Amino acid sequence: MNLKSFILSVALAGCSHVIMAQDRMPIIAYMGVPDWKTSDENFKTLSECGFTVSLYPYASLNLLLKACRSAEKYGVRVIGRCPEMFDAPAKAAPVLKAEKGFYGYFLQDEPNVPQIHERQKEIEALKRYDSTHCFYINLLPCINPDWVISSTKVKNYPEYLRVASATDIQQISFDFYPVTINGIRATWYNNLEMIRRESLASGKPFWGFTLSVPHGLPDAKTEIYPMPTLASLRLQIYSNLAYGAQAIQYFTYWTPGKNEGYTYHDAPVSREGVKTKTYDLVQQMNVELKSVATLFYKAKVTHVNHMGKKLPEGTKHLDVMPVNIRRIITKGSKGALVSQFEKDGHKYLAIVNKSLTSTLGIEIDTLNNQPVQITKTLATVPMQKKYALTAGDILIFRLK
């Protein structure tokens, strides 16, 4: 079996009642199959790429129901929005509630505080008829604190998060895209720190994003976000998991049209519905993610630290070694993200290479023979003293 056939077989293996039962981490296609391209074949293609949820606004309740039924055939569920959700919740919610392929209600993307309060009223109206599905709002990132204050109508970003988490949404979703043509945005990890704190305080899990569509300004000559690479996808996804993310969302799956002043190209599927070269890359990443996510889903992240010469704003250095570890030394220009988490009575350590281009050298001394390495296929192998971790990649160890 060649690599592509293997990837396809693993992707299809995930499309079962297991995903429908929501006992695996959601892998969400933001701007998934659009309403004007709803078909069994297009949801089959989305499923084969490794996605378990498709998110898209629909022009009518009938189109949303059609999408749910096509999606369900391939182990995919739909987060959707349609006018009837707001105009006639007594009509829309009961029929959506009955659909096996329905995951939840898409309320709004990047609202300010007054809009969040309006969305809460809509959630309350829908909950009278359906309290079993998720209510989805995606929040603004904190790329620039001054911009956040003016955009959200609050004093600071943590207050914005508190307002949102006080609503009946079940998760804290935010879309920070750190990888630009000029490198990694300096404020990314501080945003993750603030999201993690609010997630812990509210008891609501957070959902992270990775960028899978290059785009730039309307002249199509000024690119802001570059073509995705395996390293850039890994860095975004594994950093989110290290901070405790309980779902990974891709922006986008289907290539958007011109929207909000941006020019998009080369998402996994083109505007016309044709696979691009990004499709195979995302499919490969999702096979890897589905396996690794098994360890992080419903785990408790207890510590998140950084190592390196210069720490990102808002982060803390790893000063106290994890259990059964004597020493960790890293050698690399961007340093490492170090996460400690617990699941099923075990303690784990994850190390992420924060560089997009360079290998990170890692030396680990253990206190005893309890720590073992967990591969990305979840195999247990003996610890090594030295590792060479490729750009954006992750190492995972079970410590006890």
Side-chain angles (χ1 to χ4, degrees):
M1 182 182 289
N2 60 33
L3 177 60
K4 190 168 184 178
S5 297
F6 170 75
I7 289 173
L8 181 58
S9 66
V10 175
L12 286 172
C15 301
S16 67
H17 69 281
V18 176
I19 290 174
M20 303 305 287
Q22 299 186 54
D23 61 355
R24 289 189 181 183
M25 182 176 290
I27 303 176
I28 301 168
Y30 194 102
M31 293 195 69
V33 177
D35 56 1
W36 48 276
K37 281 287 189 177
T38 297
S39 68
D40 289 3
E41 183 62 29
N42 281 334
F43 274 103
K44 179 174 181 287
T45 301
L46 180 140
S47 172
E48 289 173 351
C49 198
F51 291 99
T52 66
V53 178
S54 178
L55 185 152
Y56 203 87
Y58 288 82
S60 71
L61 176 60
N62 285 339
L63 283 171
L64 178 52
L65 292 171
K66 180 182 177 182
C68 290
R69 289 160 191 170
S70 288
E72 193 266 334
K73 294 176 183 177
Y74 301 100
V76 176
R77 303 177 78 187
V78 175
I79 295 176
R81 182 175 73 229
C82 64
E84 292 89 338
M85 282 170 42
F86 310 106
D87 300 337
K91 171 188 175 183
V95 293
L96 287 169
K97 180 180 179 179
E99 289 294 326
K100 293 181 180 179
F102 184 60
Y103 193 99
Y105 300 88
F106 175 21
L107 279 302
Q108 188 176 343
D109 183 48
E110 298 187 341
N112 59 29
V113 166
Q115 290 170 330
I116 289 173
H117 292 315
E118 288 301 312
R119 300 297 79 77
Q120 173 62 15
K121 295 176 184 177
E122 293 164 351
I123 292 172
E124 290 169 357
L126 289 164
K127 282 188 73 174
R128 294 191 188 104
Y129 308 97
D130 181 9
S131 60
T132 63
H133 290 91
C134 87
F135 298 96
Y136 177 93
I137 294 173
N138 182 56
L139 302 176
L140 286 158
C142 187
I143 296 173
N144 181 305
D146 292 335
W147 174 78
V148 167
I149 291 170
S150 63
S151 299
T152 62
K153 317 298 184 187
V154 290
K155 293 182 294 184
N156 53 50
Y157 190 71
E159 182 182 347
Y160 174 62
L161 296 180
R162 286 193 295 272
V163 171
S165 66
T167 69
D168 288 335
I169 57 173
Q170 294 95 330
Q171 65 288 314
I172 302 168
S173 173
F174 80 115
D175 58 343
F176 195 118
Y177 307 121
V179 180
T180 74
I181 58 170
N182 296 317
I184 305 229
R185 293 187 189 275
T187 50
W188 180 34
Y189 289 108
N190 191 32
N191 201 159
L192 278 166
E193 292 280 342
M194 290 186 281
I195 290 286
R196 171 170 156 75
R197 284 196 293 271
E198 182 56 36
S199 177
L200 291 172
S202 66
K204 296 184 177 183
F206 82 86
W207 290 5
F209 267 86
T210 188
L211 185 63
S212 53
V213 59
H215 57 286
L217 298 178
D219 59 15
K221 296 178 182 178
T222 309
E223 196 89 315
I224 299 173
Y225 299 103
M227 284 290 293
T229 65
L230 188 58
S232 72
L233 294 179
R234 280 174 168 167
L235 178 62
Q236 293 171 85
I237 288 169
Y238 291 144
S239 293
N240 273 293
L241 293 184
Y243 269 88
Q246 293 296 290
I248 295 297
Q249 306 171 80
Y250 284 77
F251 181 85
T252 62
Y253 170 74
W254 206 277
T255 301
K258 288 187 177 180
N259 181 41
E260 298 179 1
Y262 290 108
T263 300
Y264 299 92
H265 63 93
D266 288 297
V269 173
S270 73
R271 186 70 178 164
E272 297 71 32
V274 178
K275 294 178 186 177
T276 72
K277 57 187 175 183
T278 307
Y279 181 94
D280 289 341
L281 178 68
V282 169
Q283 185 185 58
Q284 178 185 352
M285 183 69 243
N286 280 341
V287 170
E288 189 174 298
L289 170 58
K290 281 186 176 181
S291 180
V292 173
T294 303
L295 289 174
F296 285 91
Y297 190 49
K298 298 185 179 179
K300 177 184 177 182
V301 176
T302 57
H303 300 81
V304 182
N305 300 98
H306 289 249
M307 299 183 70
K309 295 179 181 178
K310 185 178 180 181
L311 298 189
E313 177 189 355
T315 65
K316 296 179 180 179
H317 191 270
L318 179 67
D319 293 323
V320 179
M321 287 295 106
V323 63
N324 294 330
I325 298 296
R326 184 192 309 276
R327 183 180 63 163
I328 301 174
I329 299 175
T330 60
K331 299 177 181 178
S333 59
K334 301 298 182 181
L337 170 59
V338 182
S339 173
Q340 298 176 62
F341 61 99
E342 300 174 356
K343 185 175 182 180
D344 298 332
H346 294 289
K347 293 182 183 293
Y348 293 89
L349 168 69
I351 302 176
V352 179
N353 180 357
K354 296 195 296 183
S355 173
L356 282 170
T357 57
S358 303
T359 296
L360 178 71
I362 302 171
E363 296 183 18
I364 302 180
D365 291 334
T366 63
L367 291 171
N368 50 47
N369 61 2
Q370 286 195 51
V372 293
Q373 182 185 351
I374 307 296
T375 70
K376 283 194 246 180
T377 60
L378 306 186
T380 301
V381 297
M383 288 278 294
Q384 302 176 32
K385 183 175 176 60
K386 294 184 179 181
Y387 293 90
L389 186 60
T390 56
D393 213 346
I394 191 170
L395 278 172
I396 304 171
F397 305 96
R398 190 178 69 224
L399 302 180
K400 65 177 292 187

